[in-house]
């Protein structure tokens, strides 16, 4: 086995230290729509798990949940060392969903031309057969 082809870490290697502004820039890049956290980490020579921790830590709701869990775990230990208090779970939070469109929307682009088709969802089978005929 040739050990010259393997890159080993140097013996005095230490953890990287990053400024708060650098972390904020990385987190902002990760929160952009359509951007992968792993891709941002890879592009900046960072570990993806480290970047995910930064993103999770930047969320105020996440920070509050972590602090609440720490307080609850400390309280359960101080109450009785033999019986631990059950951790409370957060309740259900309803999230309003966007209402789906009543039409099927298909965009076809060829060169500079754009054709947009709107088809009622109730006639989806007819839309499918029309598109299949047209694509043959």
């Amino acid at each position: 086995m040739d050990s010259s082809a393997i890159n080993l870490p140097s013996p005095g290697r230490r953890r990287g230290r990053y400024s708060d502004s650098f972390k904020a820039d990385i987190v902002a890049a990760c929160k952009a729509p359509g951007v992968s956290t792993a891709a941002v980490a890879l592009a900046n020579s960072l570990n993806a798990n480290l970047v995910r921790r930064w993103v999770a830590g930047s969320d105020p709701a996440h920070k509050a949940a972590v602090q609440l869990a720490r307080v609850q775990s400390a309280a359960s230990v101080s109450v009785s060392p033999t019986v631990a208090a059950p951790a409370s779970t957060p309740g259900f939070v309803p999230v309003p969903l966007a209402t789906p469109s009543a039409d099927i929307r298909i965009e076809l682009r060829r060169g500079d031309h754009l054709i947009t088709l709107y088809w009622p969802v109730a006639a989806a089978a007819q839309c499918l057969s029309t598109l299949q005929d047209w694509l043959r």
Side-chain angles (χ1 to χ4, degrees):
M1 176 179 212
D2 183 18
S3 64
S4 63
I6 300 172
N7 293 326
L8 299 175
S10 60
R13 187 170 178 200
R14 301 175 70 173
R15 290 183 180 197
R17 296 190 185 241
Y18 304 98
S19 68
D20 291 338
S21 62
F22 177 74
K23 290 179 186 180
D25 291 343
I26 295 294
V27 168
C30 290
K31 289 186 176 182
V35 176
S36 162
T37 302
V40 172
L42 185 63
N44 291 283
S45 302
L46 298 169
N47 184 295
N49 294 327
L50 175 66
V51 174
R52 283 189 189 93
R53 244 184 291 139
W54 290 352
V55 171
S58 71
D59 183 17
H62 178 76
K63 285 182 181 179
V66 168
Q67 288 175 349
L68 179 63
R70 286 182 184 156
V71 168
Q72 287 177 345
S73 67
S76 66
V77 170
S78 64
V79 169
S80 172
T82 58
V83 178
S88 66
T89 58
F92 175 75
V93 178
V95 177
L97 300 176
T99 57
S101 174
D103 291 334
I104 297 172
R105 180 177 173 216
I106 301 170
E107 288 188 0
L108 303 170
R109 191 178 299 260
R110 185 170 190 179
D112 294 338
H113 301 286
L114 174 67
I115 299 172
T116 305
L117 300 172
Y118 293 94
W119 205 286
V121 173
Q126 294 158 341
C127 177
L128 175 64
S129 64
T130 303
L131 284 173
Q132 285 175 338
D133 292 340
W134 184 68
L135 292 172
R136 286 185 193 159

